[in-house]
Amino acid sequence: MQTTTISIHKTSNPTIIKFEADKFLTNHESFEFSNIDEAQNSPLAQQLFYLPFIKKVYISGNFIALERYDIVEWEDVQEEVAQQIEQYINDGKPVVTEENVQNQKPISIYAESTPNPAVLKFVANKKLVATSYEFVSREDAKYSPLATELFHLPFVRSVFFDENFISVTKSDVAEWSEITTELREFIRNYIESGKDIILADAPKVLKKTESQVEAQFENYDDISKEIITILEEYVKPAVASDGGNIEFQSYDPKTKKVSVILQGACSGCPSSTYTLKNGIENMLKEMLKDKDLTVEALNG
């Protein structure tokens, strides 16, 4: 069995620290416990509350966040806590027991149009994934049981997951008016069944864990880091609201060309690709004070 690795990540709150696993720990549910009695459905949280400095335990997706009392500093105890969590998980013990799943609120899914007429966004009332994933074929979707099942539908061309929504790109064989209800119910029933959306080891295999992303970021040059920061803060939230995503691919300091990858609703629509490319290019020129920058937008 593949062992789980825990990495430590600071947060903006000095009393809270995140311990991130390289696989999913819960079935896409989030839990918060303020004391050991509240944590009766989480053996791991109960064990953590035996540490005298633990004030709150948050468990969500692939991480555990802990809030401490002021009797210690995280620098003094974080390595020991990380080892304890890692050992607990690798012993095969449950993080959260099934009773919590039975008490979850009903799943609702609503469909939302996007600027790309071939893409519809299906929004859930719960978090589905910890980070974005795009699958453009059945073979590509082997790390996502839900995407694999969606590809069995004859009109599904690609699937994009992000946080609480799924963007589906259809082929020309069907109109949205004919298939929207079917897709919405299919997705809702799948999520309610509690089956995996993304396989537990997918973040590690696809280099999507927070520690892997941070390590990759540190390898970039300073200009590339600035570009990534601008994309994350100013562009991604806007394209996510339209059912898409944008990822930095490269920056060539000689030609001053920035290459980005468009995913979900942003991909495959010539007019939206052109508009988005020009918008990003103008923003980068303005914010980086470099009028010679150009942007190449690639479909994912």
Side-chain angles (χ1 to χ4, degrees):
M1 185 176 72
Q2 197 169 26
T3 57
T4 297
T5 302
I6 297 293
S7 55
I8 302 168
H9 302 274
K10 293 181 179 179
T11 71
S12 57
N13 185 336
T15 66
I16 297 176
I17 197 165
K18 284 173 64 176
F19 298 90
E20 184 202 324
D22 49 15
K23 70 173 191 178
F24 289 110
L25 303 175
T26 71
N27 189 25
H28 313 290
E29 293 292 327
S30 298
F31 306 94
E32 178 179 336
F33 307 107
S34 298
N35 55 60
I36 197 168
D37 292 326
E38 287 185 5
Q40 56 184 307
N41 289 327
S42 175
L44 173 55
Q46 284 191 316
Q47 180 171 310
L48 290 168
F49 274 118
Y50 283 114
L51 300 172
F53 51 84
I54 297 298
K55 182 178 181 180
K56 281 188 178 182
V57 178
Y58 309 85
I59 303 176
S60 180
N62 68 327
F63 72 86
I64 297 160
L66 301 179
E67 183 176 357
R68 63 168 173 80
Y69 288 107
D70 291 335
I71 58 175
V72 297
E73 296 296 330
W74 276 121
E75 287 75 11
D76 299 328
V77 296
Q78 62 188 28
E79 294 294 339
E80 180 182 342
V81 175
Q83 291 174 12
Q84 181 176 329
I85 294 172
E86 193 172 284
Q87 183 63 53
Y88 181 96
I89 294 169
N90 287 323
D91 284 345
K93 297 176 182 177
V95 175
V96 179
T97 55
E98 290 301 313
E99 286 89 341
N100 275 321
V101 177
Q102 296 171 6
N103 293 326
Q104 64 184 337
K105 62 182 180 181
I107 301 299
S108 67
I109 302 288
Y110 70 88
E112 193 175 279
S113 62
T114 75
N116 187 337
V119 179
L120 208 59
K121 177 181 175 182
F122 295 88
V123 184
N125 62 335
K126 62 173 283 184
K127 188 172 182 178
L128 303 177
V129 293
T131 188
S132 61
Y133 297 90
E134 183 171 46
F135 305 103
V136 297
S137 68
R138 191 179 301 180
E139 172 61 26
D140 188 37
K142 61 186 177 182
Y143 295 108
S144 170
L146 174 52
T148 298
E149 291 203 20
L150 284 168
F151 275 113
H152 286 297
L153 301 173
F155 47 78
V156 173
R157 199 172 70 197
S158 68
V159 180
F160 173 75
F161 297 120
D162 195 2
E163 292 273 327
N164 69 326
F165 71 86
I166 302 169
S167 290
V168 176
T169 305
K170 73 172 182 66
S171 63
D172 293 334
V173 301
E175 298 298 327
W176 283 123
S177 58
E178 302 168 343
I179 60 176
T180 298
T181 300
E182 177 185 354
L183 262 175
R184 186 174 62 239
E185 289 305 301
F186 182 93
I187 293 170
R188 184 180 65 80
N189 290 335
Y190 185 97
I191 296 171
E192 280 190 340
S193 73
K195 293 186 288 187
D196 285 337
I197 295 173
I198 300 290
L199 295 179
D201 289 333
K204 182 195 296 184
V205 175
L206 299 175
K207 295 181 170 36
K208 289 276 192 175
T209 67
E210 189 171 336
S211 55
Q212 288 171 325
V213 172
E214 287 179 358
Q216 186 179 23
F217 180 81
E218 291 305 318
N219 289 330
Y220 287 123
D221 59 87
D222 290 342
I223 298 296
S224 294
K225 288 179 179 178
E226 285 189 67
I227 293 169
I228 293 170
T229 300
I230 292 170
L231 294 176
E232 290 286 335
E233 292 185 6
Y234 298 98
V235 182
K236 276 197 173 187
V239 297
S241 67
D242 285 334
N245 186 47
I246 184 167
E247 289 192 353
F248 173 83
Q249 185 183 58
S250 64
Y251 167 69
D252 187 332
K254 293 181 179 179
T255 63
K256 297 193 175 182
K257 183 172 77 173
V258 179
S259 295
V260 297
I261 299 173
L262 305 180
Q263 298 175 317
C266 299
S267 177
C269 180
S271 60
S272 62
T273 298
Y274 178 79
T275 302
L276 187 56
K277 170 198 172 303
N278 286 348
I280 296 169
E281 192 171 283
N282 291 335
M283 179 181 292
L284 292 177
K285 284 180 177 179
E286 179 68 26
M287 298 186 76
L288 296 176
K289 309 299 182 187
D290 190 339
K291 300 300 182 184
D292 296 323
L293 276 174
T294 61
V295 170
E296 176 186 37
L298 307 170
N299 289 324

